[in-house]
């Protein structure tokens, strides 16, 4: 009941609709890359937020307030054409978008911690597989409807309709958060921020995995956030066809989430994380199919692969930071993961945006499948070498059986 309105609102505000709205506001590829990077860069602030949250007496209501700021401020960007001169549209969007995601950074720590307490570890993999499958189904339908709206009502009118719908679902989402249990946050055994920061830094297994995943996300995000830009701007594909392609990605991701969740009941988080990497890399490589098969079919293949790979990656990374970390220090472990990977993910789209600006005079095939395929091959190499050494280092692929857990306890 909380996830459904959230996915409707965030689907209409993000993905290809975010790229399309930025193009409508007059943003360049480098500015689009910067906006895509903001969402993860602000996660650096979670290190300070995790420390401050140790003094919060009502985590739930703090989360409700932060969620309200995030949802309503992001939705309010739809008012920019009515409130500001056209010359500052993009600047106004960046400011409002940044404020929204600063609030989301704080809400994210609380929500992740609460879900770690609410959902028992024994069913966590399957629970999130089922939850994500349901909300992905709703997201697919939302993508399709949103694409049809923009195709029927081009430019400003279509976006005004989408933002009005988003406002209603954002309010519903905020209300549903009020029904969450007000569980206390896990309290650190340390009282000083420096000592709290040292806890995750001293966990060698955790830090090696985080640093590798950061390097991977940097490389991945130099190209993946630009899939919509490449379709809309470089290939000239209409919103209706882009929404269909994105729906295929979401549906495939939805179907794979239950499979990843089921596998996660047997195999470790890091082991399955490794297997998501080559799938994501092959998504970029498959853009080269544009040269030999119809463009629409090639894009379906690329987005189906990215749906399977990123769906599993996001779900398993979430389970990794709430399941493979000590409960008493969980907020700081979450913050450390978010800060390091967030900084890497921030740099990726910025570099990608600059590369697309630099390549503007080059042939179209270089800007679309040439760059994507080259980065995909590089990601395959990274996954097969450093990825194997880091994520399989402890040699434990299977979760211990219940009786083994009891015996060790």
């Amino acid at each position: 009941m909380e996830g459904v309105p959230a996915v409707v609102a965030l689907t209409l505000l993000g993905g290809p609709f975010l790229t399309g709205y930025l193009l409508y506001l007059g943003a360049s590829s480098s500015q689009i890359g910067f906006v895509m990077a903001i969402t993860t860069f602000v996660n650096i602030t979670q290190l300070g937020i995790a420390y401050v949250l140790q003094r919060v007496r009502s985590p739930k209501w703090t989360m409700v307030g932060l969620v309200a700021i995030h949802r309503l401020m992001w939705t309010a960007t739809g008012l920019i054409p009515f409130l500001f001169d056209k010359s500052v549209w993009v600047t106004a969007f960046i400011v409002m978008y940044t404020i929204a995601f600063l609030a989301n950074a704080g809400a994210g720590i609380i929500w992740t911690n609460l879900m770690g307490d609410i959902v028992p570890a024994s069913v966590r993999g399957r629970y999130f597989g089922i939850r994500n499958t349901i909300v992905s189904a709703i997201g697919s339908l939302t993508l399709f409807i949103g694409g049809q709206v923009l195709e029927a009502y081009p430019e400003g009118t279509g976006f005004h309709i989408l933002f009005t719908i988003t406002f209603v679902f954002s309010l519903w989402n905020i209300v549903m958060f009020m029904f969450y249990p007000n569980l206390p946050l896990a309290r650190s055994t340390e009282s000083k921020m420096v000592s709290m920061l040292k806890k995750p830094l001293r966990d060698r297994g955790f830090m090696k995995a985080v640093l590798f995943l950061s390097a991977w996300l940097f490389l991945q995000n130099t190209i993946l956030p630009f899939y919509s830009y490449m379709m809309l701007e470089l290939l000239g594909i209409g919103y209706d066809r882009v929404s269909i392609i994105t729906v295929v990605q979401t549906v495939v991701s939805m179907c794979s989430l239950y499979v990843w969740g089921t596998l996660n009941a047997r195999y470790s988080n890091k082991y399955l994380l490794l297997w998501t990497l080559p799938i994501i890399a092959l998504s970029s490589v498959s853009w080269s199919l544009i040269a030999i098969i119809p463009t629409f079919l090639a894009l379906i293949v690329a987005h189906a692969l990215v749906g399977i790979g990123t769906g599993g990656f996001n779900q398993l990374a979430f389970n990794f930071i709430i399941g493979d970390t000590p409960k008493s220090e969980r907020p700081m472990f979450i913050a450390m993961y978010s800060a390091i990977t967030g900084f890497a993910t921030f740099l990726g789209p910025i570099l990608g945006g600059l590369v697309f600006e630099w390549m503007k005079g080059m042939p179209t095939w270089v800007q679309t499948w040439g760059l994507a395929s080259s980065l995909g091959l590089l990601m395959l190499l990274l996954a097969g070498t450093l990825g194997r050494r880091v994520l399989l280092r402890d040699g434990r692929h299977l979760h211990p059986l219940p009786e083994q857990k009891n015996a060790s306890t």
Side-chain angles (χ1 to χ4, degrees), residues 46 54 65 80 83 99 104 154 173 218 234-235 250 291 301 363 371 377 399 405:
Q46 287 190 341
Q54 292 290 310
I80 286 175
L83 300 177
I99 293 171
N104 190 58
N173 185 216
F218 167 74
L234 301 179
L235 296 175
T250 309
V301 173
L371 175 63
L377 291 172
H399 284 308
K405 287 185 179 179

Side-chain angles (χ1 to χ4, degrees), residues 47-177:
L47 292 172
I49 293 171
Y51 175 72
V52 172
L53 287 177
Q54 292 290 310
R55 288 153 178 76
V56 169
R57 294 186 177 183
S58 182
K60 183 184 83 168
W61 292 109
T62 303
M63 179 180 69
V64 170
L66 293 171
V67 166
I69 294 172
H70 172 249
R71 304 290 196 266
L72 297 179
M73 182 63 73
W74 194 1
T75 304
T77 59
L79 297 174
I80 286 175
F82 302 101
L83 300 177
F84 301 99
D85 185 77
K86 192 171 184 177
S87 61
V88 296
W89 280 4
V90 177
T91 302
F93 182 93
I94 290 173
V95 171
M96 296 172 71
Y97 192 78
T98 302
I99 293 171
F101 277 88
L102 281 170
N104 190 58
I109 291 183
I110 302 174
W111 186 84
T112 304
N113 197 77
L114 281 177
M115 296 307 287
D117 290 338
I118 293 170
V119 185
S122 59
V123 298
R124 192 172 289 145
R126 287 184 179 174
Y127 168 78
F128 283 108
I130 294 170
R131 173 190 166 96
N132 293 337
T133 299
I134 294 171
V135 298
S136 294
I138 301 297
S140 300
L141 180 61
T142 304
L143 274 169
F144 178 76
I145 294 173
Q148 297 304 308
V149 169
L150 288 181
E151 199 63 27
Y153 303 93
E155 296 300 327
T157 303
F159 285 116
H160 299 159
I161 294 171
L162 294 189
F163 275 102
T164 301
I165 296 170
T166 298
F167 177 71
V168 174
F169 279 89
S170 294
L171 290 178
W172 175 9
N173 185 216
I174 294 166
V175 170
M176 291 313 303
F177 272 112

Side-chain angles (χ1 to χ4, degrees), residues 345-373:
T345 311
F346 167 74
L347 295 177
I350 289 180
L351 176 61
L354 292 174
V355 170
F356 277 107
E357 288 283 336
W358 174 69
M359 293 195 310
K360 274 193 172 179
M362 296 186 179
T364 303
W365 72 267
V366 176
Q367 298 182 61
T368 53
W369 65 265
L371 175 63
S373 299

